[in-house]
């Protein structure tokens, strides 16, 4: 087998992908069950070694497609994890990427080296391979920080949605219940929403109004930032 | 010479340090003049290869100390730059770190492999080695974003400071002039400042009041976030 030689030791470089999925009710995380050592049969974030002629973003796209069947997702760089000893094989530094999608926009496909691929409710995640629980923790913190100063929901909700649906999205990201009145007041104050004439029918409760995002305002607040503290 | 062998090609890993320095008037950036190829005699961000048994943060600390004589600075991870071809020697992926200090808190010391080390006004930076202008651009964007939703200035100003001094700090970070009245109004509305009984004497203008930060409020807003749009 050909060997690659260097004058001084080189670390290996991987990419790990944190993909949050919203299914209308709950925030989930995409995990693969490892089919190879180390951590055989453990659940892990999808990840892989960066090819020597491959950009980091391309590697992140390749990993999600090859291991999970998920294509064309915008992934943003999250953080680089490089602690000595985080991988039992050799020194491995991992650049993590993060995405937020609707789970029902994608059909999952298991890769050749994985035993399984699945969306997990975040609250049920435990005992992941490597330092992936730490990576997930950093990603959740980033996501929770982001929704305080950027609008969220445009790609995650239907074009028309009710206030309870929007509140559910915020609650599942923040991992806590929010007071309904306070939430409505703060969200309406941002002027992000346009009330439509339609109402959601059915159910035991009073019919809820459908809203949609004001696209210009959404864009404007994405750039200028908001401050939503719940 | 000993060679290090791997079954597949490995990238090299470096750390580059973006150190912003405030001198009371202007925002500066710390650069070194390279004493080795490639980019011999070009100005660059301080940087170096990560040792195989060294954590990324330790490498960032070592680089600043060895190349610039600067010790014990809190550096926060900024972004990882990994584009194929960004280094003419081999595939090199660089994890960048960012810090914000007072220039007069440090005496600069040139490292063995550098020809010079110097604070440069950001507006005068040009023609840097590698993709360091891009790294600097990303760092400036991050810094400008941060001061919109986090208090800034505690480590950069004297314990007591005037409003014009605080405004100068914001202006040099943002790279633009701010309207005095509007700035005062927004800063005072954050309740970050406590007015002291002292005034700055001398100068052609009316004596300016000294302020200091309300430490509890500063801490609280660092955690909860603010929204200062200028």
């Amino acid at each position: 087998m050909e060997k690659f030689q260097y004058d001084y030791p080189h670390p290996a470089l991987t990419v790990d992908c944190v993909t949050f999925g919203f299914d209308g009710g709950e925030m989930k995380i995409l995990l693969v069950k490892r089919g190879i050592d180390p951590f055989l049969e453990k659940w892990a974030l999808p990840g892989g070694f960066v090819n020597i002629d491959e950009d980091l973003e391309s590697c992140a796209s390749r990993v999600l497609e090859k291991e999970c069947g998920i294509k064309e997702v915008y992934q943003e760089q999250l953080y680089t994890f490089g602690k000595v000893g985080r991988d039992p094989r050799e020194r491995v530094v991992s650049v993590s990427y993060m995405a937020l999608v609707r789970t029902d926009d994608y059909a999952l496909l298991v890769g050749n080296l994985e035993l399984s691929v699945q969306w997990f409710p975040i609250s049920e995640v435990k005992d992941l391979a490597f330092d992936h629980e730490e990576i997930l923790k950093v990603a959740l913190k980033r996501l929770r920080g982001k929704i305080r100063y950027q609008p969220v929901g445009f790609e995650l909700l239907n074009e028309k949605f009710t206030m309870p649906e929007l509140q559910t999205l915020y609650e599942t990201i923040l991992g806590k219940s929010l007071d309904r009145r306070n939430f409505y007041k703060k969200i309406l104050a941002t002027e992000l929403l346009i009330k439509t004439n339609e109402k959601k029918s059915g159910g035991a409760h009073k019919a809820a109004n459908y809203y949609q995002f004001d696209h210009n305002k959404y864009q404007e607040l994405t750039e200028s930032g908001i401050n939503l503290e719940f």
Side-chain angles (χ1 to χ4, degrees), chain A:
Chain A
M1 191 175 191
E2 193 189 1
K3 291 278 181 185
F4 295 88
Q5 293 195 335
Y6 302 92
D7 290 338
Y8 59 94
H10 280 40
L13 190 73
T14 57
V15 157
D16 286 309
C17 302
V18 182
T19 312
F20 291 113
F22 183 61
D23 66 2
E26 204 173 3
M27 189 56 68
K28 296 186 167 173
I29 177 78
L30 187 62
L31 298 177
V32 294
K33 194 177 204 171
R34 291 177 60 83
I36 52 166
D37 273 323
F39 299 106
L40 177 67
E41 298 189 357
K42 286 266 185 198
W43 290 95
L45 297 170
F49 291 97
V50 179
N51 291 332
I52 202 72
D53 57 355
E54 180 182 51
D55 285 336
L56 302 175
E57 294 74 20
S58 311
C59 179
S61 300
R62 177 173 60 81
V63 160
L64 270 199
E65 182 172 355
K66 213 174 79 174
E67 299 183 12
C68 313
I70 288 190
K71 276 191 230 189
E72 286 165 24
V73 168
Y74 170 71
Q75 299 186 74
E76 142 187 353
Q77 195 185 101
L78 173 66
Y79 196 80
T80 296
F81 295 82
K83 220 179 162 85
V84 173
R86 57 177 293 285
D87 190 307
R89 292 168 293 189
E90 61 179 312
R91 176 79 189 275
V92 180
V93 172
S94 183
V95 186
S96 60
Y97 279 80
M98 181 169 107
L100 190 51
V101 303
R102 289 166 67 120
T103 53
D104 57 11
D105 282 349
Y106 300 94
L108 301 182
L109 273 177
V110 191
N112 289 333
L113 299 176
E114 288 71 42
L115 302 175
S116 184
V117 51
Q118 201 176 304
W119 292 107
F120 279 86
I122 286 171
S123 57
E124 291 174 20
V125 170
K126 56 176 183 189
D127 200 22
L128 298 185
F130 306 103
D131 54 358
H132 289 188
E133 279 169 63
E134 191 197 337
I135 298 179
L136 178 56
K137 215 168 129 186
V138 171
L140 262 176
K141 198 177 164 195
R142 174 81 62 94
L143 180 62
R144 286 172 181 165
K146 264 175 100 86
I147 70 163
R148 285 205 322 223
Y149 59 86
Q150 274 194 349
V152 71
F154 184 60
E155 298 89 354
L156 301 175
L157 298 167
N158 293 327
E159 199 196 332
K160 292 172 186 171
F161 50 86
T162 65
M163 282 294 247
E165 286 167 0
L166 184 63
Q167 184 172 345
T168 295
L169 172 63
Y170 273 85
E171 288 181 332
T172 188
I173 291 177
L174 293 169
K176 64 177 184 188
S177 298
L178 300 173
D179 177 69
R180 191 180 64 88
R181 277 166 195 263
N182 192 32
F183 178 79
Y184 280 36
K185 207 179 96 189
K186 288 193 175 175
I187 285 289
L188 290 175
T190 63
E191 300 179 353
L192 268 172
L193 303 185
I194 298 170
K195 199 174 183 171
T196 71
N197 293 321
E198 298 167 53
K199 281 174 190 268
K200 186 172 184 174
S201 56
H205 300 283
K206 205 179 70 170
N209 282 103
Y210 274 116
Y211 290 83
Q212 55 189 39
F213 286 115
D214 178 329
H215 293 228
N216 290 333
K217 193 75 187 173
Y218 196 98
Q219 189 56 39
E220 183 195 320
L221 291 178
T222 298
E223 283 158 26
S224 71
I226 46 179
N227 189 22
L228 276 172
E229 202 192 329
F230 295 110

